[in-house]
Amino acid sequence: MAGAEPAGAAAFLDHLAVERGLSRHTLAAYRRDLAKAARWLSADGRGELRRAGAGDLAAFLGAARAAGQAPATLARALSSLRMFFRYLVREGARPDDPTRLLTGPRRWRTLPRYLDEGDVEALLAAPDPDTPRGLRDRALLEVLYACGLRVSELLRLRLEDARLDAGYILVRGKGRKERLVPLGDTATAAVDAFLSRGRGPLLGGRVCPVLFPTARGRALTRQAFWKNLRRLALKAGITAPLSPHVLRHSFATHLLEHGADLRTVQALLGHADISTTQIYTHVSRERLRRIYKLTHPRA
């Protein structure tokens, strides 16, 4: 059956959920990667995924690359396969790990897209501050940019997570890891304005535990937030494609441009490995070049 879960995958995913506490979104990504590999191997007459050899897996990755899959997508697929086969070896389900012989696809990292500070200001000013929804949207955007959150982290925030007196929020990130992120004065004021003047009228007497609810008293969905973001971007005169992650990139980029160190940005973004944060070092290099041109007598 084309959509069937590969043999051994269910126990593997249960292990990740229970032992490592991975989120359902991460588990869904692993499930998709394994299912895609299993379907390709079966269609190519190579048998079950759990019995695949290094050559079979290399052929799968090669076919995915030839089909135009991005290097980052291939790297994630290989990571999923590595974890799956390591699990099978640990459980005694097979004697060897075929992924040991595979070389990871080179991740041709493109520089992250980000907004300049003028565009960010225009976007943050786009919501109407005279309506409950506008107050909510302004607070949402201010927190997203001030804290560099993932959209899933933003939409999961609960009322008690906003510690306005202390000037920070409690964020629950990947793998249920918690981190405290400073809000900043402007974002704190925007959240306070929403809580004091917008949240009650928006809910109309309904009860909802999330910090930024809909008028129906529910949590915003990703799709609804993206749609709203695109509407506000057009209002702000931003015509380039815009996603919540572009604002996260803007947060990190602007911090580095103003002198923040990479370790601080790593902690604020919630990256487990600083290598993930190093994609932003292009900003440091550009900043160094600008300073060199401005200050060196022979630049």
Side-chain angles (χ1 to χ4, degrees):
M1 194 173 159
E5 197 166 72
F12 166 65
L13 294 167
D14 286 344
H15 161 77
L16 293 182
V18 174
E19 299 296 328
R20 301 189 56 174
L22 297 187
S23 72
R24 60 189 180 87
H25 296 297
T26 303
L27 293 172
Y30 282 123
R31 182 177 285 106
R32 285 193 300 270
D33 288 338
L34 296 179
K36 189 180 296 183
R39 284 195 300 270
W40 187 90
L41 291 170
S42 176
D44 204 52
R46 294 174 181 265
E48 287 186 308
L49 174 62
R50 63 178 173 175
R51 305 189 190 285
D56 299 320
L57 299 177
F60 160 67
L61 293 170
R65 180 174 179 178
Q69 288 289 318
T73 303
L74 295 175
R76 194 199 65 198
L78 178 54
S79 175
S80 299
L81 290 168
R82 279 184 171 142
M83 291 189 69
F84 177 59
F85 282 103
R86 286 171 186 168
Y87 168 79
L88 292 180
V89 171
R90 281 198 308 272
E91 295 298 305
R94 63 176 289 161
D96 63 319
D97 174 7
T99 64
R100 268 192 326 109
L101 304 174
L102 300 181
T103 302
R106 194 170 189 81
R107 293 189 68 169
W108 311 316
R109 285 192 164 184
T110 56
L111 296 183
R113 287 190 299 112
Y114 60 94
L115 299 176
D116 63 34
E117 292 180 40
D119 281 341
V120 170
E121 290 297 329
L123 179 65
L124 296 179
D128 182 357
D130 296 324
T131 67
R133 181 178 172 182
L135 286 169
R136 182 203 65 186
D137 292 346
R138 175 69 183 270
L140 273 165
L141 293 178
E142 288 282 3
V143 171
L144 183 60
Y145 174 64
C147 304
L149 304 187
R150 302 174 180 93
V151 66
S152 58
E153 295 170 343
L154 176 70
L155 301 182
R156 276 202 304 263
L157 289 174
R158 300 170 71 86
L159 265 173
E160 64 267 23
D161 295 334
R163 318 288 171 83
L164 299 188
D165 291 342
Y168 66 83
I169 55 172
L170 176 65
V171 180
R172 293 170 182 82
K174 290 186 174 181
R176 300 177 190 170
K177 292 179 180 176
E178 296 183 350
R179 67 186 190 277
L180 294 175
V181 183
L183 260 179
D185 293 342
T186 307
T188 298
V191 175
D192 185 57
F194 171 60
L195 292 179
S196 59
R197 305 200 311 271
R199 196 172 188 276
L202 182 70
L203 285 171
R206 297 177 181 86
V207 176
C208 181
V210 299
L211 181 58
F212 300 117
T214 67
R216 295 183 177 183
R218 300 171 184 168
L220 270 168
T221 64
R222 288 165 169 251
Q223 293 79 6
F225 182 74
W226 278 47
K227 185 177 179 180
N228 204 25
L229 180 62
R230 287 195 292 269
R231 178 182 63 82
L232 293 170
L234 290 174
K235 184 179 177 183
I238 301 168
T239 55
L242 181 61
S243 71
H245 226 65
V246 170
L247 279 178
R248 182 168 157 88
H249 290 323
S250 303
F251 161 84
T253 299
H254 296 164
L255 279 175
L256 287 168
E257 280 185 335
H258 288 281
D261 64 273
L262 206 60
R263 287 286 181 187
T264 298
V265 176
Q266 176 195 3
L268 291 171
L269 289 173
H271 285 164
D273 190 334
I274 198 168
S275 64
T276 309
T277 319
Q278 283 172 340
I279 192 170
Y280 297 106
T281 55
H282 75 285
V283 177
S284 303
R285 291 196 294 270
E286 288 299 323
R287 186 166 174 268
L288 284 174
R289 274 195 284 269
R290 286 200 303 269
I291 293 172
Y292 178 81
K293 282 183 173 292
L294 287 171
T295 58
H296 196 283
R298 301 179 68 85

